[in-house]
Amino acid sequence: MENLFAFVIGGLYATALFMMLRRSIVKLVIGLMILSNAANLLILSAGGLVRGAPPLIPDHLERVTTTMADPLPQALILTAIVISFGVLAFAVVLIHRAYEVIGADDMNEMKSTDS
Amino acid sequence: MNIAIVLPIFIPMLAGALTLACWQWRNVQRWLSLLSGTGLLLAGIYLFIQVREQGILVAYMGDWAAPYGITLVADLLSAIMVLVTGIVGLSVAVYSLATMSQKHEAFGYYPLLHLMLAGVAGAFLTGDIFNLYVWFEIMLVASFGLMILGGERAQMEGAVKYVTLNLLSSALFLTAVGLLYGYAGTLNMADLAVKLGTGEQPGLVTVIAMLFMVAFGIKAAAFPLFFWLPASYHTPPVAISAVFAGLLTKVGVYALYRVFSLIFVQDISLTHHHILMGMGIFTMLTGVLGAAAQFEVRRILSFHIVSQIGYMLVGLALFTPLAIAGGVFYIFHHIIVKTNLFLISGIMYRYHGSYELSKLGGLYRATPWLAFLFLIPAMSLAGIPPLSGFFAKYTVIKAGVLEGAWWMVGIALLVGLLTLYSMVKIWAEAFWKPLPEEAKPLRGGEDPHRYLLYLPVAVLAGMTLTIGLGAEWFVQLALDTADQLLTPSGYIDAVLGPVEARSRP
């Protein structure tokens, strides 16, 4: 399962960077979305993948004896998903406004503040 | 739980919530904003005194013991940063009473400002690396909102770059956190320092260190990663630019100082002496050269943020007590000076209605006091002796001389000279030369709010003078801070308890 995950995560990072390097700001935001999901999957697999084992210790046991999933990566990802969801919602509204104000979705049209 | 650590986060967060609740009543928002600024400053002073007296303070959230729960830690560096955050927060709160237009206030300026301050204070105080990510995001989301307040074209263009680069850096940060957790199995900074140790480490740790360096480097606007800053920082209203310029990049620098003095100290020769040093030198140089090429006040100042970040980075890169002390001194000197310069550029704008140097002029005749108040932070930034910037530069450069880092010393001196050049350029063009004929006549002399504008500027200039004239005390403080940073065992013991008491599985 780790191998599959490695391919998927690598593919997502590559896709995200490719999309972000395009000139369209819509593709830029799609790239950012994919990038944050790639990072979340990376945390999940770096924390160790376990199949079918809940992050629970049975009542009668003092310490862990069976395999169990690490609850922390899931908690981290949940937090990260909530944050990235909010930030991306902002980014979508931003590009919409930017499109209205600038009248183009091409990054090459947005150079007046560069120096 | 120690209340002193929680207050600097709690006060601005409460103020953010209350101002949000008082959306309809702008006057209530203004008073709450002033109150919260004052409260944050007092909380910062209280925390600083406590840390100075009792050493490193720790608070465990929800009473979960150290490696498992979220920990808030205040050592001297955190306390100083929180104190300076309070100073900047209050100055900007006062200043924005006079400069913020009703339109900006109606779209939630005060809630965003205070939530951002809460994020900044949280980032300074947390002792958990994932929690640091969360505070970064709180700060960023609020700063995104502030950045586009008003919705002008330039702001939109700047914001697209600012948002993209910061989200990219957050994703890299998250990636690095994931890899670090996979490697060490913990996220508490003190625990990480124990687990990674100072011994020989496999390459993976260096890779993770580099990921952190890139992620924080983007936020700190270090050399190859700074282009979002001069493209965006001059676009929002000036009070917002000022608080960004003072605080936000410094959060990135603070994170670099924390992580590269506590956790990643295994391969100092590579990570600090080579990569960080190169980053710092190029940051100084490119920033100041960019500034020299600009003819718009706020763009010059934006590029100077970049250039000064370089001094802080080389302070960390040398990694001697004196160098770190120089870097720490530089951070608090620079936050005050840079905020002040942006606030002054806002006053200049009120007189002229422009930031272009070619359209400015004659300000010395119109307001000699403003000219005087400008000279103090400007000369301090350039490093003229009795002012704070001189001692900051002197300490960093002296540390470089003692270590024999001649390239760094030479470039730091050259950059100081070029900084002086661009500050003199602003002085000569905006204050000294007569008003250009095609320019609009000066206005704003009878501004009813001018006391609110001048008060924070004068107080910050007074602080610059105080830091310069009482430099001995401040350098000693910076040396104590450096001492704390370079002996991580104190930090670790404070968080995890003394070595004997730690029950490790």
Side-chain angles (χ1 to χ4, degrees), chain A residues 13 46 70 87 110 112-114, chain B residues 157 161 167 175 181-182 231 294:
Chain A
Y13 268 96
D70 187 349
V87 174
M110 302 187 189
S112 72
T113 62
D114 289 355
Chain B
E157 295 189 10
K161 292 156 204 162
L167 289 187
T175 309
Y181 180 71
Q294 296 295 325

Side-chain angles (χ1 to χ4, degrees), chain B residues 4 30 35 52 76 146 153 156 213 216 242 280 296 298 312 340-341 355-356 382 415 447 467 469 472 501:
Chain B
R30 288 162 166 237
L35 213 62
R52 197 79 174 134
L76 266 178
L146 287 173
R153 176 177 174 139
M156 287 301 160
M213 195 185 283
F216 295 146
E296 206 250 44
R298 285 199 295 175
M312 301 166 202
N340 200 3
L341 281 171
Y355 291 106
E356 292 290 337
V415 170
D447 196 332
I467 297 177
L469 297 176
E472 197 182 341

